[in-house]
């Protein structure tokens, strides 16, 4: 990836532009599906979620069940960890969730990489890239893909927080005096 690819995400002005840059990055990385999610947890309030993705509508409707998401080993990993997870059918099989893999595999979600950044003030940014074909067997190539995703996530989280988090949850800017 070129440095400009990472920096272009910072220039996104709205949700549509951000979505476009995220999808383009995933495709350049060799993945046809991507989701970037922001979650904001505030004491006493329900969490706020907002995302950009290119999931088929039928897939989106099929995964709305909260119980399914609680059982998903990739989502569980991202909720607790900052280390990326490289997942395949075996990940779901080993975690007793092969039915979830079967559900998503019919839409091309068979293999992927996901990660989360857990930020101050209850803010979380998660990004995952998925594809139908197997991930590279070459350790160097797979490591490069993970590193590219991590570097992109560091850049994308800033834009995601600016664009996807509602104004009421944005941190206040300090008032500066003329001096």
């Amino acid at each position: 990836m070129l440095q400009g690819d990472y920096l272009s995400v910072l220039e996104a002005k709205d949700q549509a532009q951000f979505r476009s840059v995220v999808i383009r990055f995933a495709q350049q990385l060799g993945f046809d599906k991507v989701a970037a999610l922001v979650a904001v947890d505030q004491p006493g309030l329900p969490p706020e979620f907002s995302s950009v993705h290119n999931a088929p509508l039928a897939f989106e409707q099929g995964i709305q069940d909260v119980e399914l998401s609680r059982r998903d080993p990739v989502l569980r990993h991202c909720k607790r960890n900052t280390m990326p997870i490289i997942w395949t059918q075996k990940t779901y099989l080993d975690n007793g969730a092969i039915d979830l893999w079967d559900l998503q595999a019919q839409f091309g979600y068979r293999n992927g990489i996901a990660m989360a950044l857990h930020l101050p003030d209850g803010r979380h940014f998660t990004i995952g890239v998925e594809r139908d074909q197997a991930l590279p067997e070459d350790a160097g190539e797979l490591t490069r893909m993970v590193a590219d995703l991590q570097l992109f996530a560091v850049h994308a989280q800033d834009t995601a927080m600016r664009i996807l988090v509602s104004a009421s949850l944005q941190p206040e800017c300090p008032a500066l005096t003329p001096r």
Side-chain angles (χ1 to χ4, degrees):
M1 297 286 141
L2 299 173
Q3 184 177 2
D5 294 330
Y6 300 115
L7 298 178
S8 67
V9 74
L10 296 172
E11 298 170 357
K13 303 287 186 234
D14 56 34
Q15 189 167 340
Q17 200 175 35
F18 179 60
R19 179 182 181 273
S20 176
V21 172
V22 168
I23 291 170
R24 186 178 67 232
F25 167 80
Q27 290 171 342
Q28 289 174 345
L29 197 57
F31 294 86
D32 57 341
K33 296 186 181 52
V34 62
L37 169 83
V38 169
V40 179
D41 293 317
Q42 288 194 315
L45 297 173
E48 179 183 299
F49 298 96
S50 186
S51 66
V52 296
H53 56 81
N54 63 347
L57 183 58
F59 174 75
E60 245 189 295
Q61 293 169 339
I63 62 163
Q64 294 298 332
D65 185 341
V66 174
E67 272 311 304
L68 293 180
S69 63
R70 286 187 180 136
R71 291 183 42 233
D72 188 293
V74 175
L75 294 178
R76 284 195 335 242
H77 173 89
C78 287
K79 187 174 182 176
R80 296 180 183 87
N81 299 286
T82 56
M83 292 298 296
I85 180 172
I86 299 166
W87 62 268
T88 64
Q89 181 182 26
K90 185 174 179 345
T91 306
Y92 285 81
L93 184 61
D94 291 350
N95 285 278
I98 195 65
D99 59 314
L100 297 179
W101 187 88
D102 290 338
L103 176 69
Q104 68 189 28
Q106 62 186 316
F107 297 99
Y109 293 84
R110 295 177 176 267
N111 305 282
I113 306 167
M115 62 164 294
L117 298 171
H118 303 286
L119 307 162
D121 302 321
R123 296 171 190 283
H124 310 275
F125 176 72
T126 302
I127 187 166
V129 291
E130 298 84 15
R131 66 187 194 183
D132 199 17
Q133 66 269 28
L135 296 171
E137 290 186 25
D138 178 65
E141 187 177 348
L142 189 56
T143 299
R144 181 198 53 79
M145 291 172 120
V146 171
D148 284 345
L149 181 64
Q150 287 178 298
L151 185 56
F152 182 78
V154 169
H155 288 81
Q157 62 83 25
D158 185 63
T159 301
M161 293 299 166
R162 178 174 42 85
I163 290 175
L164 299 179
V165 174
S166 67
S168 65
L169 295 176
Q170 292 288 350
E172 290 184 32
C173 293
L176 301 176
T177 64
R179 188 159 46 136

